[in-house]
Amino acid sequence: MLPAVSAGRLRGSPGKAMSRGVRVWDLSVRSFHWLAVGCFAFSWWSAENGRMDLHYRSGLCMLAMLAFRLILGLIGGDTARFASFVKGPGAVVAQLRGRLHQPSVGHSPLSALSVVAMLLALSAQIGTGLFATDVDGLESGPLSFLVSFDTGRAAAAWHEASFNALLWLTGLHVAAVLFYLLARRRDYLTPMISGRDRQIDEAMAEPRPSKMVAATFAAGVAVLLAWSVSNGLWL
């Protein structure tokens, strides 16, 4: 999930005061990012320690957060909307060959692939968990009653596989952040905390943040979805 900006537009050279930078990530995107990190870690901990009651609730929270982010990807601000940063293979190849001369505030074509991959893996992780059933049939997802026992067991297997995929993707993401920080002196962590990237020329136009009405709508739909799933889709 790394944004990329060409080196020619970076601030912070020796002897020059850092600017306030550009507000890259609004509160809705940052909230999703850090809540997803915490909830993912908590889901792992609760499963490892046999606290399936907590794991169940954590999964519903993850479902709500995923729905929130997907809706923002359609109606959110400039750096949240998929249409603004998901590019074709040509743009990805151009970045890999160092041919991107236009600076971007937000996700680069290559980092957009990371975003899509992690959201797909997260969708698989949450979706399979909703239908998963354990060996004894005692611990099951909230929608497991809609499928057969064998299907529930298959969902449980895919639930574990998608978790491992998320671990690999998360590891690659962290490694990339550290690489850019240590090897390129490019800090991508602080902007995801503060929202502002002080290494981008402040003369650049700030991206449009998500409107309050859009974020509120996304949150409302997400909570309603999680509540309805926890109650068996009103059945």
Side-chain angles (χ1 to χ4, degrees):
M1 299 181 180
L2 297 178
V5 181
S6 64
R9 302 292 294 185
L10 299 182
R11 299 289 294 256
S13 57
K16 191 171 186 178
M18 294 286 285
S19 70
R20 291 183 67 248
V22 175
R23 183 175 60 176
V24 176
W25 310 114
D26 60 35
L27 182 60
S28 59
V29 174
R30 287 179 285 139
S31 297
F32 166 79
H33 183 277
W34 295 113
L35 286 173
V37 169
C39 201
F40 180 71
F42 183 78
S43 293
W44 170 82
W45 175 87
S46 58
E48 286 294 307
N49 288 272
R51 295 300 307 273
M52 300 309 295
D53 56 330
L54 298 179
H55 189 74
Y56 181 96
R57 294 184 178 89
S58 180
L60 290 174
C61 290
M62 289 289 285
L63 172 64
M65 286 188 291
L66 176 63
F68 175 77
R69 181 63 184 90
L70 293 178
I71 296 172
L72 280 186
L74 299 177
I75 64 174
D78 291 340
T79 55
R81 193 172 300 199
F82 300 132
S84 70
F85 64 82
V86 176
K87 307 298 182 181
V92 175
V93 172
Q95 182 181 351
L96 290 173
R97 294 181 176 178
R99 295 178 179 176
L100 284 185
H101 305 295
Q102 189 73 18
S104 59
V105 179
H107 295 295
S108 69
L110 187 59
S111 65
L113 294 181
S114 174
V115 175
V116 172
M118 294 191 78
L119 288 177
L120 287 175
L122 191 60
S123 298
Q125 170 74 2
I126 296 169
T128 53
L130 296 177
F131 299 94
T133 301
D134 68 356
V135 175
D136 299 322
L138 299 177
E139 299 290 348
S140 304
L143 301 183
S144 59
F145 68 94
L146 295 174
V147 299
S148 66
F149 177 79
D150 289 340
T151 301
R153 291 300 300 142
W158 282 105
H159 188 62
E160 182 176 357
S162 58
F163 171 78
N164 292 329
L166 274 171
L167 283 181
W168 278 100
L169 290 171
T170 301
L172 289 174
H173 176 62
V174 172
V177 171
L178 292 176
F179 170 79
Y180 275 93
L181 180 63
L182 300 176
R184 302 288 180 85
R185 302 299 180 186
R186 184 70 174 96
D187 180 12
Y188 289 111
L189 178 61
T190 302
M192 189 53 73
I193 297 174
S194 67
R196 286 191 171 274
D197 193 337
R198 296 175 64 189
Q199 293 179 276
I200 299 179
D201 193 335
E202 63 183 355
M204 295 184 68
E206 288 192 344
R208 179 183 58 85
S210 299
K211 295 182 179 179
M212 180 62 70
V213 63
T216 301
F217 173 78
V221 172
V223 171
L224 179 61
L225 174 64
W227 177 85
S228 63
V229 167
S230 69
N231 287 275
L233 296 176
W234 296 292
L235 294 179

